[in-house]
Structure formats: C-alpha cells, structure tokens
Amino acid sequence: TEPISYPDWASYTLGVFICLSCSGIHRNIPNISKVKSLRMDHWDEAQVQFLEQHGNAVAKATYEAHIPIYYYQPTHADCQVLREQWIRAKYERKEFTEPGRQLPYSNGLKEGILWKRGRDNGQFLPRKFLLSEQDGCLKYFAKPDAKEPKINIKIDTINATFQPVKIRNPNGLQISYLKDNKTRNIFLYHGDGKEIVDWFNAIRAVQVHYLKVAFPVASDSEVRDHLRKFLKEGYMEKTGPRQREAFKKRWFTLDHRRLMYFKDPLDAFAKGEVFMGSREHGYSVTQGLPAGAQGSFSWQYGLTIVTPDREYLFTCETESDQQDWIAAFSQVIEQPMTPQEYASKCQEGVHFSPPAPAHQSHNREN
C-alpha cells in the first residue's frame, strides 16, 4: 500500500511489500507490523504463504477502503511525519476500514496549542489555535484566555504544507494565507506527530467543504486537485525590470499561481510576488535569458518568464534546478485559469511590488 517500486522489505504480519524507508516506520509499530528483508532474512513456508494469500492489493482494499477525499495520502517523497502517520492511521488505528467513521479531524472544529515562530524575533512560543468550519476561518490567540484572536485567517486562502527542513523541526508546518491580498507565512510545529498531521488534515477537511460549495458539480477527484499546495521552492537569482541591475539571490516560492520571493526562507512576508496566468492569457516560460540582458549574475542557467506586462529574468545554480523550475512554471501556465483566479488577478494588479506597509520595514525591490 506504500508508493514503492521494487520493494526489498515486507511485513509478514500485514502481508504487504514495503520500501526501505517505510520499513523503518513499520519497525516502530511491532505490535502491528513485523518486517523482514526479502533478500537477507530467512522466510519460513508459512510466512511465504501468508504473503501469497495477501499482498498490497488485498491490504489496500481492507485498510484504505474508505479514505476521505480530503485526507492527504503521502508519497515516498513526503516527509517522515506524514508517512509515519499515514501508516499508523491505516494499520494501527484502522481509520479507513469502515464507512462513515467519525475521525478526529473531520468534524470541522479543532482547538489546541501549537508552537508558533515569532515574526520578528524568530522564537517559537505556544499559541492557542482554533479552526472553525462554521466561521470559515483559522484563528490564533496571543494568550490562552484572550477574547479576540491575533489573526483571523479565511479558510479558502490557506495553503498548509509541511516544511521540516526549512523550519528545522521534524513536525514543522507552514501556513500561508492571503492578508490584504498579499501572502503571509506563519511557521508552526507540535511535539506530537499525530497532532500536527491531524491539524493538517482538519484544515483540508474544512477546505473540501468550501470547495464543494464553490464547485458544486465537481467530482471528488477535481475537488482534491483544487486543494492548494506548493509546486516548487528554492533559490534563484533575479534582476530588476530594466534588466541591467545586478542579479540578487533570493528564496522563491511558487504557490499555485503566485510566484513570491523572500530574502530569507522564514520571512513572514514576501518582498514581492507576481501572478502566473495561463498561456492563453499571454504567459510563457523559456529557457535562457534575452540577448539584451546586461545585469551581472553568478549563476549560469537562466530562464525567462513572459507576462502581458513584462519579462522576468532569473538564473539558477544548476541545470537541474533550471529544468525543475521550467517544468513547475509550465505546469501552471498550461492550466486554464478559473473564473476565481482571473478575478483574483484583476483585483491584484501588482507584479513584484512590496506587499507590506512601510512600518513593516521591508525595502522595495523591483
């Protein structure tokens, strides 16, 4: 049931073949799953027969029979906490074996303490969070007994994604949302892996409800595809609109149709962002820089994004990075814009402009 190719391990109590990475997780639940190497360990006849009688397809039909459409099913590329809680949810807690089961993240209401990184000082402090489907928002409070929330986040603007490397915590979760039509990031974690994954799926559950209202005739697969996620993050160099300024190294995030850049990956606000439309509206991405580009740069692998307003020039450190970014941009550009996305673009009217007011001490970079 794990997303694997050529597995070298198997659980002889569950009857499934698993990859090396997931075998370590299975070893941590020995009361449920006992694993052996297919190549190095001895298998007795009864164990071999058990595998023959079961297998991944049978396990999937049993343990994944009733997965809610909002529940995120990780792949081998996802972080440890997502993969571990997925495995535990299936085999240890058996959350998906019965139809209509009430799950801890499914009732549209969740409240608890999460550790939040301070916007200015970088310290993680405990803060009360409240997710309410009825109110259509996620709130957090500076103090547990505070009457009014510090921030009230509309659920349909949230993009939640696990970022353990960036946040430097194995359970690190990034919440990105729109504030005054500009993207704001907050960084969270919880000491318990199940709790932080429950928060993640609780947010997705509420978002699915709102998507079903917004897209009433959409299939479950189409609704699932509308749940937002980061397509790509990483460093590139950028230059200004005159294409003569020196290129500067910045952290970039492609969040669906928003391309944002930051001085530091843990900045709360982007220094600028640009809307990425579709090809039919005049957007495209090409490999390399225009012949007239004069700004000095240290990375050699360039790419150009063309919009109806101007060209944006970037350079990447490696050819692999360049091709990954081009593929990510192409994926967005080739998708037709929804009416909601077109309306969002018309409301913005900004391209790589500073999203924060002057009192937030962000210097303008074009």
Side-chain angles (χ1 to χ4, degrees), residues 139-142 146-152:
K139 308 173 185 179
Y140 91 81
F141 301 81
K147 294 286 192 293
E148 295 297 326
K150 181 80 172 177
I151 291 180
N152 194 332

Side-chain angles (χ1 to χ4, degrees), residues 270-343:
K271 292 192 74 64
E273 53 186 86
V274 63
F275 181 88
M276 295 291 297
S278 63
R279 185 173 298 280
E280 63 183 352
H281 286 92
Y283 293 80
S284 63
V285 57
T286 58
Q287 182 173 310
L289 302 178
Q294 299 178 12
S296 60
F297 49 86
S298 55
W299 290 350
Q300 303 303 311
Y301 300 93
L303 63 94
T304 302
I305 293 176
V306 179
T307 78
D309 301 318
R310 58 172 273 205
E311 294 180 343
Y312 295 88
L313 312 187
F314 308 99
T315 57
C316 303
E317 187 173 15
T318 67
E319 185 177 7
S320 175
D321 286 344
Q322 176 199 51
Q323 296 305 311
D324 286 349
W325 276 110
I326 290 174
F329 289 133
S330 298
Q331 181 180 344
V332 174
I333 290 169
E334 296 305 324
Q335 292 178 359
M337 287 165 57
T338 66
Q340 291 89 340
E341 290 168 345
Y342 190 78

Side-chain angles (χ1 to χ4, degrees), residues 36 96 114 135 182 223 275 326 333 336 360:
K36 281 186 175 184
F96 315 123
L114 296 172
D135 295 339
K182 300 297 179 183
V223 168
F275 181 88
I326 290 174
I333 290 169
Q360 289 170 330

Side-chain angles (χ1 to χ4, degrees), residues 80-146:
Q80 172 85 5
V81 68
L82 273 173
R83 289 185 294 111
E84 177 173 350
Q85 292 307 314
W86 164 238
I87 290 170
R88 288 185 179 275
K90 288 191 295 181
Y91 302 127
E92 186 178 44
R93 301 191 292 270
K94 298 181 180 178
E95 293 182 359
F96 315 123
T97 57
E98 303 171 13
R101 181 174 174 179
Q102 195 68 16
L103 298 168
Y105 35 79
S106 63
N107 63 6
L109 185 67
K110 187 167 179 59
E111 183 176 358
I113 301 297
L114 296 172
W115 290 78
K116 176 188 172 294
R117 187 180 189 270
R119 190 186 74 186
D120 299 318
N121 58 23
Q123 293 182 327
F124 282 89
L125 296 171
R127 295 288 183 259
K128 186 177 84 169
F129 279 77
L130 174 64
L131 173 69
S132 171
E133 182 175 307
Q134 182 176 348
D135 295 339
C137 63
L138 174 68
K139 308 173 185 179
Y140 91 81
F141 301 81
K143 296 180 180 179
D145 58 350

Side-chain angles (χ1 to χ4, degrees), residues 6 15 30 40 56 64 73 106 150 177 179 184 191 198 205 242 252 260-261 280 299 308 311 331 343 361:
Y6 307 110
M40 298 178 289
N56 291 49
E64 301 181 28
Q73 301 177 45
S106 63
K150 181 80 172 177
Y177 63 96
K179 178 179 173 63
R184 162 84 194 272
D198 281 356
R242 291 181 296 174
F252 283 84
M260 296 161 280
Y261 76 92
E280 63 183 352
W299 290 350
E311 294 180 343
Q331 181 180 344
S361 68

